[in-house]
């Protein structure tokens, strides 16, 4: 009952703290994703760059789906952002428990995520759905590859990493640590034959290369990862 209780507390706390922004309208970068004709972008988002030649197909597809079903309202996307936020807090709690933290300490760690002002700011926008999904999927990828508290699941980890990349290009920052965890997992698992072990270790890099190649194919710009001058 510990994790369901944490989930309930985090959800209520997040709703209480972030509730005022759920009814907010488009602002700042949100206007980039105002789609006069959203329906075609639901599936086409994977074959085209987003505004400013970015490639965030999950973000574009989900916002297009929301606009198609509910019209130009921000509420569904804000709610999805809040759900991702709560799930990240729950994941932090599980990771802390897997590292040996007690119930109170792990709950405090997850609670800190919920009340973080930086996270609350991200949940308040439509455009930032790419950020919250990328953090959630990227963190899930590391968790499943690490094997904290249960056997590692490299396949699930790689799928989560691919979803993180399709959410936002900043998920490339997970690659070094994910590769290190894949190397450790490959050594620890009885993987046969040897080429299968190499495939496991190299899977995050292979996914990244496929992502970068497809991103270039659809015409999106290459991530630079530096501040604008």
């Amino acid at each position: 009952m510990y994790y369901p209780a944490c989930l309930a507390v985090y959800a209520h706390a997040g709703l209480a703290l972030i509730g005022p922004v759920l009814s907010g309208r488009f602002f700042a970068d949100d206007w980039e994703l105002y789609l006069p004709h959203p329906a075609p972008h639901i599936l086409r988002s994977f074959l085209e760059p987003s505004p400013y030649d970015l490639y965030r197909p999950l973000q574009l597809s989900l916002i297009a789906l929301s606009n198609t079903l509910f019209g130009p309202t921000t509420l569904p996307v804000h709610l999805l952002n809040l759900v991702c936020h709560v799930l990240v807090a729950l994941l932090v709690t599980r990771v802390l428990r897997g590292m040996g933290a007690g119930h109170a300490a792990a709950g405090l760690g997850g609670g800190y995520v919920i009340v973080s002002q930086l996270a609350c700011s991200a949940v308040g926008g439509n455009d930032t759905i790419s950020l919250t999904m990328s953090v959630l999927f990227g963190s899930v990828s590391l968790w499943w590859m690490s094997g904290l508290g249960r056997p590692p699941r490299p396949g699930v980890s790689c799928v989560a990493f691919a979803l993180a990349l399709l959410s936002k290009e900043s998920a490339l920052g997970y690659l070094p640590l994910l590769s290190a965890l894949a190397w450790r997992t490959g050594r620890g698992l009885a993987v046969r034959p040897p080429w299968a072990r190499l495939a496991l270790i190299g899977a995050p890099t292979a996914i990244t290369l496929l992502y970068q190649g497809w991103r270039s194919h659809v015409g999106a710009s290459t991530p630079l990862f530096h501040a604008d001058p």
Side-chain angles (χ1 to χ4, degrees), residues 141-175:
S141 177
L142 295 177
W143 184 58
W144 279 108
M145 189 67 80
S146 69
L148 281 173
R150 76 261 157 306
R153 294 289 185 271
V156 176
S157 173
C158 288
V159 170
F161 180 53
L163 291 174
L165 289 172
L166 293 174
S167 298
K168 190 171 184 178
E169 60 278 356
S170 58
L172 288 168
Y174 291 101
L175 178 61

Side-chain angles (χ1 to χ4, degrees), residues 75-121:
L75 179 60
V77 179
H78 285 159
L79 287 174
L80 179 57
N81 248 344
L82 178 58
V83 168
C84 291
H85 182 50
V86 170
L87 291 177
V88 169
L90 184 64
L91 179 61
V92 167
T93 303
R94 298 205 63 167
V95 168
L96 289 173
R97 289 288 296 143
M99 296 176 68
H103 286 90
L108 183 62
Y112 180 80
V113 173
I114 286 293
V115 302
S116 166
Q117 290 301 303
L118 181 61
C120 291
S121 175

Side-chain angles (χ1 to χ4, degrees), residues 19-20 22 40 70-71 82 93-94 101 119 130-131 135 145 178 195 214 218 223-224:
L22 296 181
F70 306 107
L82 178 58
T93 303
R94 298 205 63 167
S130 62
L131 176 60
V135 169
M145 189 67 80
L178 185 60
W195 62 262
W214 183 253
V218 300
L224 298 176

Side-chain angles (χ1 to χ4, degrees), residues 31-45:
W31 284 106
E32 300 169 9
L33 293 165
Y34 178 81
L35 306 170
H37 306 288
H41 295 279
I42 296 175
L43 295 178
R44 202 173 69 194
S45 62

